[in-house]
Amino acid sequence: MTSLQDVRDEIKLKLTGDLLEFELEDETIDKVIASAIRELQRYITTTRLITIPFKQCIDLSDPDCTNGEELNVNYVVMIYRTDELGGNTTSSSSYDPMQVAQWQMLSGMGNLKYFQDAVYNYSAWTTLQQIRNTTSTDLAFKFDKVTKKLYINTSTGTPDYITIEYIPVIKDVEEIQSEYWEDILVRLSLALTKVTIGRIRSRYTQSNALWQGDGETILQEGQEELKELREALVNNSELYFPID
């Protein structure tokens, strides 16, 4: 896992080679890294899962509703039932009548007792499920990003627990768990740092100096790296998720 110190050290290494004096304080570098994280937030689509007690309206910012965890949710991707419709016990599980019928024909045992009634009941149940799904979509949801409240519709029974797949809000370097995004963060932070120190070094110029600073050079280098990175991020972004 990459830490804030790791990113800071890599920026210093690539810009100074551990030989030159770096003009930016650690606090300023941290602000540049935070700016890079904020820009990457719109592109990071790594999801996480959490299973919590079901409510039709869940406040995802309230730890009392999320098993004591403080969630920072950027986007809710999908919702899953934790338990089957028949319940969480194996005794209430339903069987596929077609599978039972095939076993019945191959076993040579003849018709099972009450099997035909079970088939009729199962057919009626599936018909009722189709009608319910037509009039009301099961597990349809709406996430209010402002209030952090998740509204869930159920049409086929209320589960005890629900599993939510969501994209978190990234605030710290340690929250990025993907090696790909860690690499992108370092590269973006480095490019932004180059632009920052390039503007500082090119603020004033000396016409008769024996030595000339590299402010313009490093500024141009950082701008080109930023342009390349941003174009790559846009071209590879997940269009499935809305930009908001």
Side-chain angles (χ1 to χ4, degrees), residues 126-139:
T126 54
T127 302
L128 178 61
Q129 295 292 88
Q130 294 176 0
I131 295 175
R132 285 178 174 176
N133 287 333
T134 301
T135 58
S136 178
T137 303
D138 189 41
L139 296 187

Side-chain angles (χ1 to χ4, degrees), residues 52-113:
I52 58 179
F54 174 81
K55 293 181 181 179
Q56 288 190 332
C57 178
I58 304 175
D59 187 354
L60 295 180
S61 63
D62 185 0
D64 293 336
C65 300
T66 57
N67 300 331
E69 295 187 36
E70 294 184 4
L71 299 184
N72 293 310
V73 180
N74 184 44
Y75 183 78
V76 175
V77 179
M78 191 62 66
I79 297 178
Y80 308 95
R81 284 181 177 268
T82 305
D83 302 331
E84 59 186 52
L85 292 177
N88 196 25
T89 58
T90 56
S91 60
S92 61
S93 301
S94 58
Y95 297 94
D96 186 351
M98 298 300 102
Q99 183 179 2
V100 175
Q102 183 180 13
W103 173 81
Q104 175 186 340
M105 290 185 295
L106 295 177
S107 64
M109 295 178 59
N111 190 21
L112 296 176
K113 187 176 182 181

Side-chain angles (χ1 to χ4, degrees), residues 6-156:
D6 294 332
V7 179
R8 189 190 302 142
D9 290 343
E10 187 162 352
I11 291 174
K12 290 182 179 180
L13 174 64
K14 291 185 176 180
L15 291 177
T16 68
D18 286 340
L19 292 175
L20 304 176
E21 183 180 355
F22 200 50
E23 55 262 60
L24 296 184
E25 299 291 339
D26 288 350
E27 183 180 356
T28 305
I29 300 175
D30 294 346
K31 291 179 180 179
V32 174
I33 297 173
S35 178
I37 293 176
R38 179 186 56 78
E39 184 170 347
L40 282 181
Q41 178 65 69
R42 74 191 74 171
Y43 302 107
I44 297 178
T45 56
T46 304
T47 61
R48 297 178 187 175
L49 296 173
I50 185 173
T51 299
I52 58 179
F54 174 81
K55 293 181 181 179
Q56 288 190 332
C57 178
I58 304 175
D59 187 354
L60 295 180
S61 63
D62 185 0
D64 293 336
C65 300
T66 57
N67 300 331
E69 295 187 36
E70 294 184 4
L71 299 184
N72 293 310
V73 180
N74 184 44
Y75 183 78
V76 175
V77 179
M78 191 62 66
I79 297 178
Y80 308 95
R81 284 181 177 268
T82 305
D83 302 331
E84 59 186 52
L85 292 177
N88 196 25
T89 58
T90 56
S91 60
S92 61
S93 301
S94 58
Y95 297 94
D96 186 351
M98 298 300 102
Q99 183 179 2
V100 175
Q102 183 180 13
W103 173 81
Q104 175 186 340
M105 290 185 295
L106 295 177
S107 64
M109 295 178 59
N111 190 21
L112 296 176
K113 187 176 182 181
Y114 304 125
F115 176 72
Q116 195 64 38
D117 292 339
V119 172
Y120 289 149
N121 292 335
Y122 183 82
S123 300
W125 181 78
T126 54
T127 302
L128 178 61
Q129 295 292 88
Q130 294 176 0
I131 295 175
R132 285 178 174 176
N133 287 333
T134 301
T135 58
S136 178
T137 303
D138 189 41
L139 296 187
F141 66 90
K142 177 66 176 180
F143 175 61
D144 188 345
K145 196 170 182 178
V146 177
T147 62
K148 304 300 180 182
K149 290 186 178 180
L150 176 65
Y151 301 88
I152 307 174
N153 176 69
T154 56
S155 62
T156 54

Side-chain angles (χ1 to χ4, degrees), residues 42-43 45 181 231-240 243:
R42 74 191 74 171
Y43 302 107
T45 56
W181 290 113
E231 288 179 353
L233 287 170
V234 171
N235 293 334
N236 294 280
S237 62
E238 295 281 354
L239 298 179
Y240 173 78
I243 301 177

Side-chain angles (χ1 to χ4, degrees), residues 158-173:
T158 302
D160 293 330
Y161 292 89
I162 204 76
T163 298
I164 302 173
E165 182 179 8
Y166 68 96
I167 298 175
V169 176
I170 305 298
K171 294 185 177 180
D172 300 317
V173 176

